[in-house]
Amino acid sequence: MAPNGHLEGTDVAWHTIDVQTGTLDDVLGLQYSVTTDGVQVTMPDTTGWVNDFGVLHGGLWACLSDRAATNLIARRSPELTTARIHTAFLRSGVPGAPVSVTARAHHVGKNFAVIQVTGHSAGSQLCAVTTLTARRVGPEIERS
């Protein structure tokens, strides 16, 4: 890193945060809203959340997708926990611009859930698509 806080040879600055001052939602500044068909999570300021290529970090998309999907699942079947998450990155988000993800349920049952999350950057450009599956943990599988 250069003395000015930028990546060597770029104008991309690293973002320094104090992660001990709040929850993940607080640190990322996440805002939640319930939609007619799911849950939307918005991160109004992505300044500094870039990777070494100077684009919005893919882990941020995965994190936001997980937050939206698990929030949606918890509203219907709170005993489930994340089993798998897969994110396909279609294009980079605009660093510094707001991003949002919207989680929609394909299935939420007593033992299993499948959620699709779409991530958009400024201008409603589709940037990421995530599928999250959740399952009941433990020896007890509830039979209907």
Side-chain angles (χ1 to χ4, degrees), residues 58-71:
L60 185 65
W61 286 114
C63 177
L64 296 178
S65 295
D66 179 76
R67 298 298 299 140
T70 57
N71 187 282

Side-chain angles (χ1 to χ4, degrees), residues 72-114:
L72 177 60
I73 293 167
R75 294 172 183 278
R76 300 181 187 180
S77 200
E79 64 282 353
L80 300 181
T81 187
T82 301
R84 181 179 185 275
I85 186 169
H86 174 80
T87 301
F89 304 104
L90 309 176
R91 61 182 56 87
S92 172
V94 179
V99 296
S100 64
V101 297
T102 302
R104 293 177 181 87
H106 283 289
H107 171 79
V108 179
K110 295 176 185 174
N111 298 308
F112 191 75
V114 178

Side-chain angles (χ1 to χ4, degrees), residues 56-63 65 84-93 101 115-120 125-132:
L56 199 58
H57 196 287
L60 185 65
W61 286 114
C63 177
S65 295
R84 181 179 185 275
I85 186 169
H86 174 80
T87 301
F89 304 104
L90 309 176
R91 61 182 56 87
S92 172
V101 297
I115 309 296
Q116 182 176 23
V117 185
T118 53
H120 294 84
Q125 187 175 40
L126 182 62
C127 297
V129 177
T130 297
T131 302
L132 182 140

Side-chain angles (χ1 to χ4, degrees), residues 4-114:
N4 64 0
H6 289 79
L7 296 174
E8 292 288 341
T10 73
D11 61 355
V12 176
W14 284 100
H15 187 66
T16 303
I17 58 169
D18 180 1
V19 296
Q20 298 180 18
T21 60
T23 66
L24 177 64
D25 291 353
D26 294 336
V27 170
L28 296 177
L30 302 184
Q31 301 169 348
Y32 289 77
S33 60
V34 177
T35 66
T36 57
D37 61 347
V39 172
Q40 184 175 53
V41 177
T42 301
M43 184 174 174
D45 183 10
T46 60
T47 302
W49 295 96
V50 296
N51 61 22
D52 291 341
F53 301 110
V55 298
L56 199 58
H57 196 287
L60 185 65
W61 286 114
C63 177
L64 296 178
S65 295
D66 179 76
R67 298 298 299 140
T70 57
N71 187 282
L72 177 60
I73 293 167
R75 294 172 183 278
R76 300 181 187 180
S77 200
E79 64 282 353
L80 300 181
T81 187
T82 301
R84 181 179 185 275
I85 186 169
H86 174 80
T87 301
F89 304 104
L90 309 176
R91 61 182 56 87
S92 172
V94 179
V99 296
S100 64
V101 297
T102 302
R104 293 177 181 87
H106 283 289
H107 171 79
V108 179
K110 295 176 185 174
N111 298 308
F112 191 75
V114 178

